[in-house]
Amino acid sequence: MALGLVALFLFFATQSDVFLTSRNLNNLMIQSTVTGIIALGLVFVLLTGEIDLSVAATSGVAAVFMAKMVVDAGLPIPLAILLGVGIGLLIGALSARWVTLIGVPSFVVTLGVGLVLNGVQLLLLPNTGRYNLLNTGVEKLAATYVSGPGAWALVLIAIALFALIRVTTFRSRQNAGLPASLGGGVFVPVAVVGAVLIALLMFLENQRGLPMPVILFIGLLGVTSYIAHETRFGTYLYAIGDNAEAARRAGIKVDRIKITAFAIAGGMAAFGGILSASRILGVSVSSGGGVGGGALLLESIAAAVIGGVSLFGGRGMVIGALFGALIIGTVSNGLNLMGVANEARLIVTGLLLVLAVSIDRGIEKLAGPAG
C-alpha cells in the first residue's frame, strides 16, 4: 500500500505542478481524515467477518443531532459532541445485537438501519434543511492548528508512547517464549514512525502547523492499533473472523465481541461526521453522504479494504485504513487538479475497491489448502 501511494504521488506530480505543493498536500491530509476515521471503526467490524453499511448514515445523524443540541438546545459543545458520539456507539451496539440475537446477516440489518437513520436525520433537521455552525465554536474542532513547541511536544509524546508499546510487546513475547527481536520489533519500527512523524511536522510547519483533524486521526489510529494488535480483545477479533465457531468453542464470547466491534464502528462514524460538520461549518440533508450513504459509504469501506483488511474476516491491520484513506484522497485530489469530472473519480474508486476485493479473494483461495 505504501508503494502504491508513492506511485500515485509520482504520477500526479507529473500531471500537475500544484500537486506536491505544501498547501495542496496539507489539504489532502485534512480531506482524508473523515474517511480515514470512519474506516478505522470499520476495520473492527470487518475483522470479525461482518460489515456495517450504516456507518455513513450514523455519521450524518450524529452530526445533525450534535448541531441541534448546540444551536437549538444551547448545550456546551463538548457535551454535545459526547452525546453525538454516544448515539453512534448505541446505534452500532443495537445493530450488532439484532444480528447476533436474530441471526440476520449484518449487511441486511445495517442496510435497513442506514435507511431508518436517513429518515431520522430528515426529522431532526429544521424546515430550512440545514443547521449553520458558523461562529458557534464547533468550527474550532477542525480549524485549530498547533505549531511551535506545542507541536514538537505532541510528536515527541507520540513517539515515546509508540516506543513504550513496542517495548511492552517485546517483553510479552519474550515471557511467552515466542520469537522476539529487539531490532526488528522495537528499534526499526520506532525509528520509522519517529522519522515519519518528524518529517510530517517539519513539512506542515511551512503552513500553519499541525491541523487538529490530522492530530485527532493520528491519535485515534494509535489507540485503535493498540486495541486491535496488543490486547486480548484484538486477538479475539482475529479469532472470530478466522473461525467464529472455533472461537466460541474456545470460550470466547463471540456475540459480546461483535457488539463491541460494531459499537466502536458506530462511535468512530459519529465522530467522523461531527468532524466533517466542523470542517464545512454546518449540517444538512447531504450530511453522511445523503440517502444510502452515497460516496462516503463507498469510500469508507474502500479505504479499509484497499488498506488490506479482508472482507472475509480475520486478516488485516488497522494502519491499513490510513493508507487506504490516503490512496482514495490522493486519487480524488489528483483527478480534480487534472480537471477530470467527478464521475471519473467515482469510477476509479469503485474499480480500486473491486480490484482490492478480488486480490483479497485470491489470497483466501491460495491460503485455503494450507489452512
Side-chain angles (χ1 to χ4, degrees):
M1 290 304 101
L3 292 176
L5 185 61
V6 171
L8 285 174
F9 267 60
L10 294 175
F11 171 74
F12 287 121
T14 63
Q15 303 300 311
S16 172
D17 295 334
V18 180
F19 181 77
L20 287 181
T21 61
S22 56
R23 181 179 182 85
N24 182 64
L25 293 181
N26 179 67
N27 290 334
L28 168 61
M29 284 186 289
I30 294 176
Q31 292 165 2
S32 302
T33 53
V34 172
T35 300
I37 288 173
I38 297 177
L40 284 178
L42 271 173
V43 169
F44 286 82
V45 175
L46 292 175
L47 285 176
T48 66
E50 305 288 352
I51 193 168
D52 190 345
L53 299 180
S54 68
V55 286
T58 299
S59 72
V61 165
V64 171
F65 179 80
M66 179 276 301
K68 190 177 186 67
M69 291 299 98
V70 172
V71 176
D72 290 347
L75 289 184
I77 292 173
L79 178 58
I81 292 176
L82 286 176
L83 288 175
V85 173
I87 284 178
L89 291 168
L90 181 61
I91 291 171
L94 291 177
S95 297
R97 184 53 184 154
W98 189 274
V99 171
T100 57
L101 182 65
I102 308 299
V104 181
S106 57
F107 79 89
V108 175
V109 172
T110 55
L111 179 61
V113 169
L115 293 175
V116 171
L117 294 177
N118 289 148
V120 172
Q121 180 174 326
L122 295 177
L123 292 174
L124 290 175
L125 287 167
N127 294 332
T128 59
R130 177 179 175 82
Y131 277 112
N132 187 358
L133 295 176
L134 182 63
N135 298 323
T136 61
V138 177
E139 71 276 5
K140 294 180 181 178
L141 182 64
T144 300
Y145 286 78
V146 179
S147 60
W152 280 101
L154 285 174
V155 168
L156 293 177
I157 290 173
I159 296 173
L161 289 175
F162 180 74
L164 179 61
I165 291 172
R166 298 310 305 170
V167 169
T168 302
T169 302
F170 170 75
R171 289 179 176 174
S172 297
R173 292 184 66 86
Q174 271 193 328
N175 294 335
L178 298 172
S181 169
L182 189 61
V186 179
F187 292 140
V188 172
V190 171
V192 171
V193 170
V196 169
L197 290 178
I198 292 174
L200 177 64
L201 174 58
M202 295 177 67
F203 170 76
L204 292 177
E205 281 288 320
N206 294 328
Q207 293 293 311
R208 299 165 60 185
L210 290 175
M212 186 56 67
V214 174
I215 295 174
L216 292 171
F217 177 68
I218 292 176
L220 290 172
L221 175 63
V223 172
T224 51
S225 293
Y226 177 78
I227 292 173
H229 306 304
E230 306 294 340
T231 67
R232 183 174 297 178
F233 171 76
T235 302
Y236 290 166
L237 289 174
Y238 285 92
I240 293 170
D242 186 60
N243 191 319
E245 183 58 31
R248 184 176 286 107
R249 294 184 179 185
I252 297 175
K253 299 183 183 301
V254 174
D255 291 354
R256 184 179 298 177
I257 298 298
K258 286 187 177 182
I259 291 172
T260 304
F262 273 84
I264 292 173
M268 297 289 277
F271 185 72
I274 292 170
L275 184 61
S276 176
S278 175
R279 283 188 58 238
I280 63 178
L281 304 177
V283 295
S284 65
V285 294
S286 61
S287 295
V291 177
L296 179 61
L297 177 60
L298 166 66
E299 291 177 352
S300 300
I301 296 174
V305 176
I306 291 172
V309 181
S310 175
L311 274 176
F312 308 101
R315 190 175 69 251
M317 299 181 67
V318 172
I319 197 172
L322 167 64
F323 289 108
L326 286 176
I327 286 173
I328 291 175
T330 299
V331 169
S332 176
N333 181 275
L335 292 178
N336 285 337
L337 291 177
M338 291 171 60
V340 177
N342 187 55
E343 293 85 348
R345 178 180 65 83
L346 293 175
I347 291 172
V348 172
T349 303
L351 290 175
L352 285 174
L353 175 58
V354 172
L355 178 62
V357 176
S358 300
I359 293 174
D360 181 39
R361 186 57 178 168
I363 293 174
E364 284 286 327
K365 288 183 177 181
L366 290 174

